[in-house]
């Protein structure tokens, strides 16, 4: 866990989707999630997301594949990376079967997930896999030299 995440005791997630109803659905899905605590923020456009990322630190960005006007992750993720965001970015889409999704690592995307697949367990897995990595205590002595 990053030092900032540990201090806050929560993971700060930015959800970017042009449909507010998708944000509401995600909030409902994770309402019962107590570990880790999640601070979820919403942006309706890539422009708004860029402003929020410049102004605050996020541990994870969940980004809708298509944002108006018809831009997909091949346009939006490089914009986020271009302003210096180095944390994990997951592309969220209703349909992740398109051939161009195979290219996602080339654009700075860490993972992709279907909107219907996001639930408490999936989000906990994503956070463990991409946001936090606990080094076992017995390894820590090796780095204290």
């Amino acid at each position: 866990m990053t030092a900032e995440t540990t201090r806050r005791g929560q993971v700060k997630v930015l959800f970017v989707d042009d449909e507010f109803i998708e944000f509401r659905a995600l909030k409902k899905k994770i309402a019962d999630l107590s570990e880790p605590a999640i601070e979820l923020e919403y942006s309706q456009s890539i422009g708004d997301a860029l402003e929020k990322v410049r102004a605050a630190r996020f541990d994870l960005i969940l980004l809708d594949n298509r944002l108006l006007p018809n831009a997909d992750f091949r346009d939006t993720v490089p914009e986020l990376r271009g302003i210096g965001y180095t944390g994990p970015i997951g592309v969220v889409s209703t349909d992740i079967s398109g051939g161009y999704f195979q290219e996602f690592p080339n654009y700075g995307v860490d993972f992709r997930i279907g909107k219907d697949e996001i639930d408490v367990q999936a989000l906990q897995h994503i956070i463990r896999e991409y946001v936090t990595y606990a080094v076992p205590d017995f390894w820590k002595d090796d780095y204290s030299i």
Side-chain angles (χ1 to χ4, degrees), residues 66-79:
R66 292 213 180 268
L67 296 171
L68 294 176
N70 298 325
D72 65 32
F73 74 85
R74 295 173 291 182
D75 297 321
T76 54
V77 172
E79 288 186 57

Side-chain angles (χ1 to χ4, degrees), residues 2-67:
T2 65
E4 188 171 340
T5 303
T6 303
R7 277 195 308 273
R8 286 194 318 253
Q10 61 186 209
V11 176
K12 193 168 181 180
V13 178
L14 179 62
F15 183 72
V16 186
D17 195 307
D18 51 4
E19 296 290 333
F20 184 73
I21 193 75
E22 296 289 346
F23 174 67
R24 296 286 307 258
L26 180 61
K27 277 190 83 156
K28 280 187 144 185
K29 286 180 183 180
I30 66 169
D32 295 331
L33 182 63
S34 59
E35 185 61 34
I38 294 178
E39 179 183 335
L40 187 63
E41 287 195 33
Y42 174 70
S43 285
Q44 192 169 20
S45 67
I46 191 63
D48 183 51
L50 292 169
E51 286 179 31
K52 286 187 176 181
V53 169
R54 283 183 185 110
R57 186 184 183 302
F58 290 92
D59 299 306
L60 170 68
I61 295 177
L62 297 174
L63 178 69
D64 186 22
N65 179 43
R66 292 213 180 268
L67 296 171

Side-chain angles (χ1 to χ4, degrees), residues 77-119:
V77 172
E79 288 186 57
L80 289 163
R81 296 296 188 201
I83 64 165
Y85 181 76
T86 59
I89 297 175
V91 171
V92 180
S93 183
T94 303
D95 180 14
I96 58 172
S97 65
Y100 68 98
F101 275 104
Q102 302 308 314
E103 303 170 26
F104 75 90
N106 300 336
Y107 292 89
V109 176
D110 294 285
F111 63 92
R112 65 182 190 265
I113 187 168
K115 287 183 178 179
D116 60 335
E117 297 174 308
I118 296 179
D119 59 15

